Amino acid sequence: MAIFPSREADVAALASDIIHGLSTYTEDFPASPVTPDALHTALQAYVTAREEAVASQGLTADAFNVKDEALDNLTDAMRAVLRYAEDHTKYNDGKLKLLGWGSRKSPKPLQAPGQVRTLEVKRQGKGWVYLDWKDPTEGGSVAAYRIQCSHPEEGLWKDVGMAVETESLLTNQERGTDLHYHIIAVNKSGEGEPSNIVRVLL
């Protein structure tokens, strides 16, 4: 069957498709467990919380906790609508596509992701750094991103974080020394080539 997205940007895009489908094709989906207005409210709550979390530069964890809770509420509502739509249409692919969804499909072998692109340091402060990067253009879909750090003189990379979006705030980082960071995309089939390296002195 269609796979629910893992990246936050893709979740938000699917939510918009579902809202449009429910609002436009009311006769096809007459008894959705979540109304388009309620789903729109959940989407806006997530978007607002995400913007506030980014604007805070991560100086507190509270903003990101609020964002994550809003995302959970949004995905719960979306999944309820999609389960209803699948049951109601008996997995009719044409009707499910009205919501940006799809019917059951034969599984295809999953490839390992490609190389993460354009890693950048967007912001940094005392003991923290905010990284941003772009999705791979090749390979299989990305399940998560492994964030690794290294001391240049040691040359050994260690995991310092995981992300499902193409950005991450790292706190409690070592201060007063050069640090190198790179990103690796991963999924169930393996991992891609490391991204470019960025140098940070916190």
Side-chain angles (χ1 to χ4, degrees):
M1 62 187 301
I3 299 174
F4 197 87
S6 58
R7 298 194 324 121
E8 292 187 21
D10 293 337
V11 171
L14 177 58
S16 296
D17 288 342
I18 294 173
I19 292 167
H20 173 75
L22 291 178
S23 301
T24 306
Y25 305 102
T26 55
E27 292 184 1
D28 291 300
F29 307 102
S32 173
V34 181
T35 66
D37 287 343
L39 195 56
H40 181 267
T41 298
L43 175 59
Q44 289 304 116
Y46 158 70
V47 171
T48 299
R50 183 177 184 278
E51 289 175 350
E52 291 176 352
V54 172
S56 74
Q57 297 186 356
L59 298 182
T60 67
D62 290 342
F64 282 88
N65 290 337
V66 170
K67 184 266 293 182
D68 290 341
E69 183 177 355
L71 179 62
D72 288 342
N73 291 337
L74 174 62
T75 56
D76 286 346
M78 292 167 63
R79 289 178 186 276
V81 172
L82 294 174
R83 284 194 297 269
Y84 153 76
E86 289 173 341
D87 291 342
H88 177 70
T89 66
K90 295 180 173 53
Y91 293 92
N92 182 299
D93 192 53
K95 290 188 176 182
L96 291 176
K97 284 181 179 178
L98 299 177
L99 301 179
W101 198 231
S103 64
R104 296 182 184 273
K105 298 178 181 179
S106 300
K108 296 181 180 179
L110 180 65
Q111 295 180 328
Q115 183 178 31
V116 171
R117 302 174 294 130
T118 323
L119 173 61
E120 297 178 321
V121 177
K122 286 296 186 181
R123 293 182 292 276
Q124 66 183 79
K126 295 181 179 180
W128 64 269
V129 60
Y130 195 94
L131 302 175
D132 178 90
W133 58 91
K134 297 186 184 305
D135 289 324
T137 56
E138 299 178 347
S141 60
V142 178
Y145 295 94
R146 178 177 296 131
I147 305 167
Q148 294 189 323
C149 178
S150 172
H151 291 87
E153 65 276 9
E154 296 177 359
L156 299 176
W157 292 92
K158 64 178 182 178
D159 291 345
V160 293
M162 293 290 292
V164 295
E165 274 288 282
T166 56
E167 59 189 10
S168 181
L169 171 75
L170 301 174
T171 58
N172 300 318
Q173 300 298 288
E174 188 173 347
R175 296 172 58 182
T177 184
D178 281 336
L179 297 174
H180 286 181
Y181 292 89
H182 70 202
I183 310 294
I184 299 174
V186 298
N187 64 22
K188 290 182 179 180
S189 291
E191 59 185 39
E193 292 293 323
S195 70
N196 61 292
I197 296 172
V198 294
R199 175 185 172 187
V200 181
L201 178 61
L202 303 178

